[in-house]
Amino acid sequence: MLDDVIEKLKKEFIDKLKEIKDEPSLLNLKGEFIGRKRGKVKDLFKELGKAEPQERGRLGQAINSLKTFIEKSLSEKEKEIKSKKVKTDSEDYTYPGFRIERGRKHLLQQVMDDVMDIFLKMGYHIETGPEVETDYFNFTALNIPEEHPARDEHDTFYLDYEKGKDKYLLRTHTSPVQIRTMLKKKPPLKIIVPGKVFRKDEPDDTHSPVFHQLEGLVVGEGISFADLKGTLITFLKALFGDDIQVRFRPSFFPFTEPSAEVDVLLKGEWLEILGCGMVDPAVFSEVGIDSEKYTGFAFGLGIDRITMVKYRVKSLRYFYDNDLRFLRQF
Ligand code: DAH
């Protein structure tokens, strides 16, 4: 009689096992049949006491082998469920990940930041001004009146817009921010002005209708040309290295007097880097600064030009083509 019960239980187990598709129901099935306290197999062992004494040994073995069968089947089913899980899961954690590309600053911005860092360490403050400027700030206030030949060198993009008598244009240099700052703040002043400037130039290896400048202006009592030289030599050595040579050449700018251009000797070649000079008294009088009391110096450097020299870039076009093969090199 117990033989039949054992056989029935085995069948019941096999049928139920076929329906099992996940781990939680597998665990339930395990508890139902071979649970330590209340499993159906445990109950069979209790029945053993009611069997004929000479049958007990054989029946005990039969129950034990059912238990073993159940344990083995359960662990096989468990393996099967686990292997299927990996295959059917929508996310495969063993699949190689995607590489996340990190962006970087454009080379011109890197150089602009390096240049600004040097001046910030020397105690300069940053000022900015509008890219759409008036004729007055861009030229007249800087001692470049109408009909002045210096205007021809700045091939200007004029805007189709006038307000009063003033014409609007895209600024051709960052120097108008000198004027805006001096009108707004009292000396002493020590500022740098980073920014985009625009000229109607045909693009080629050394020209671009948009490029970048960094303007500098220092105004105070007793500021001399020696301060100008010391500042710019310190800056150029910080940027290009201590072993470079620097040369000041006399030049002309309407808003500085005297004026100079500065060259740097790199690998046997003199390269023009910037323009500078002592602020012209005519500029001070335009903004109401007493030129008997105050003096000052100013400078303007071309960031694109410096970048070409420093990184040996042959053409300005590379900066504006946005070709990643170029940009990723820096
Ligand atoms: N604004 C000049 C230019 O774009 C550069 C320059 C020269 C700026 C001399 C200055 C300066 O402040 O003192 O050509």
Side-chain angles (χ1 to χ4, degrees):
M1 205 195 123
L2 199 53
D3 281 311
D4 292 340
V5 179
I6 294 171
E7 211 37 47
K8 255 180 85 190
L9 197 61
K10 186 173 180 177
K11 265 207 185 117
E12 186 192 338
F13 172 76
I14 291 171
D15 288 339
K16 286 191 170 171
L17 188 68
K18 279 185 199 149
E19 303 300 313
I20 299 297
K21 294 201 165 56
D22 56 28
E23 281 181 293
S25 39
L26 188 71
L27 276 175
N28 283 336
L29 190 67
K30 187 178 178 179
E32 183 181 339
F33 283 85
I34 51 168
R36 286 214 181 158
K37 282 190 180 145
R38 261 198 278 142
K40 285 178 172 164
V41 174
K42 186 108 189 162
D43 296 338
L44 277 184
F45 279 117
K46 284 179 196 158
E47 294 296 313
L48 207 53
K50 295 176 196 161
E52 296 293 328
Q54 67 271 28
E55 290 278 73
R56 283 181 197 160
R58 186 184 62 80
L59 288 167
Q61 269 179 18
I63 299 171
N64 263 327
S65 73
L66 172 64
K67 195 182 170 205
T68 313
F69 169 78
I70 290 176
E71 283 168 342
K72 222 179 124 204
S73 307
L74 286 170
S75 88
E76 268 165 21
K77 191 76 177 182
E78 190 184 346
K79 273 186 209 150
E80 188 190 315
I81 289 172
K82 281 189 173 158
S83 71
K84 269 195 193 143
K85 196 175 171 204
V86 173
K87 279 183 214 136
T88 54
D89 228 345
S90 61
E91 279 174 83
D92 176 357
Y93 303 111
T94 65
Y95 195 81
F98 294 102
R99 193 195 178 97
I100 298 171
E101 281 255 12
R102 283 245 249 140
R104 72 194 77 196
K105 284 181 187 164
H106 190 285
L107 180 59
L108 288 174
Q109 189 62 55
Q110 291 179 35
V111 172
M112 182 67 100
D113 288 351
D114 290 346
V115 167
M116 289 202 290
D117 261 2
I118 297 170
F119 284 108
L120 290 173
K121 280 183 189 142
M122 292 199 257
Y124 284 71
H125 293 276
I126 298 171
E127 288 285 340
T128 54
E131 289 168 2
V132 173
E133 195 42 285
T134 63
D135 186 281
Y136 173 76
F137 283 117
N138 196 80
F139 293 123
T140 314
L142 287 160
N143 202 27
I144 316 172
E146 238 162 285
E147 312 305 329
H148 193 288
R151 289 198 178 206
D152 298 338
E153 285 162 37
H154 294 221
D155 260 328
T156 310
F157 286 109
Y158 283 97
L159 274 76
D160 206 5
Y161 176 76
E162 283 182 29
K163 197 174 165 195
K165 274 194 207 125
D166 222 349
K167 277 184 273 186
Y168 279 76
L169 47 80
L170 297 183
R171 67 178 177 193
T172 58
H173 52 175
T174 43
S175 305
V177 188
Q178 287 190 30
I179 306 295
R180 290 182 174 273
T181 306
M182 288 189 284
L183 285 173
K184 203 167 64 185
K185 293 178 179 170
K186 297 267 159 289
L189 295 170
K190 214 172 154 183
I191 61 151
I192 45 170
V193 182
K196 274 193 182 72
V197 300
F198 309 85
R199 289 187 201 180
K200 236 180 189 166
D201 285 325
E202 277 299 316
D204 63 23
D205 286 348
T206 53
H207 294 86
S208 162
V210 54
F211 56 103
H212 301 79
Q213 288 188 337
L214 184 110
E215 190 85 12
L217 173 71
V218 175
V219 182
E221 288 182 57
I223 300 292
S224 71
F225 200 87
D227 296 317
L228 165 62
K229 279 190 85 171
T231 300
L232 292 179
I233 291 170
T234 304
F235 159 68
L236 291 167
K237 290 197 165 178
L239 189 67
F240 289 109
D242 267 338
D243 44 354
I244 51 139
Q245 279 184 58
V246 180
R247 171 172 88 177
F248 285 72
R249 264 186 301 112
S251 185
F252 172 80
F253 298 103
F255 36 91
T256 48
E257 179 60 34
S259 304
E261 273 169 279
V262 180
D263 306 332
V264 158
L265 184 64
L266 272 176
K267 307 241 160 178
E269 215 186 328
W270 284 104
L271 301 160
E272 190 187 316
I273 297 291
L274 60 90
C276 62
M278 300 305 291
V279 179
D280 195 302
V283 173
F284 279 149
S285 96
E286 191 69 33
V287 295
I289 288 180
D290 180 1
S291 56
E292 293 292 316
K293 189 173 175 195
Y294 295 106
T295 50
F297 66 79
F299 55 88
L301 35 109
I303 295 295
D304 305 65
R305 168 95 184 133
I306 287 180
T307 308
M308 284 174 84
V309 168
K310 190 166 172 177
Y311 291 92
R312 299 177 188 283
V313 178
K314 291 271 184 326
S315 172
L316 210 50
R317 295 175 195 259
Y318 289 117
F319 298 145
Y320 300 99
D321 281 350
N322 278 339
D323 187 331
L324 289 175
R325 290 170 301 179
F326 170 77
L327 296 173
R328 281 190 177 130
Q329 292 176 55
F330 307 99

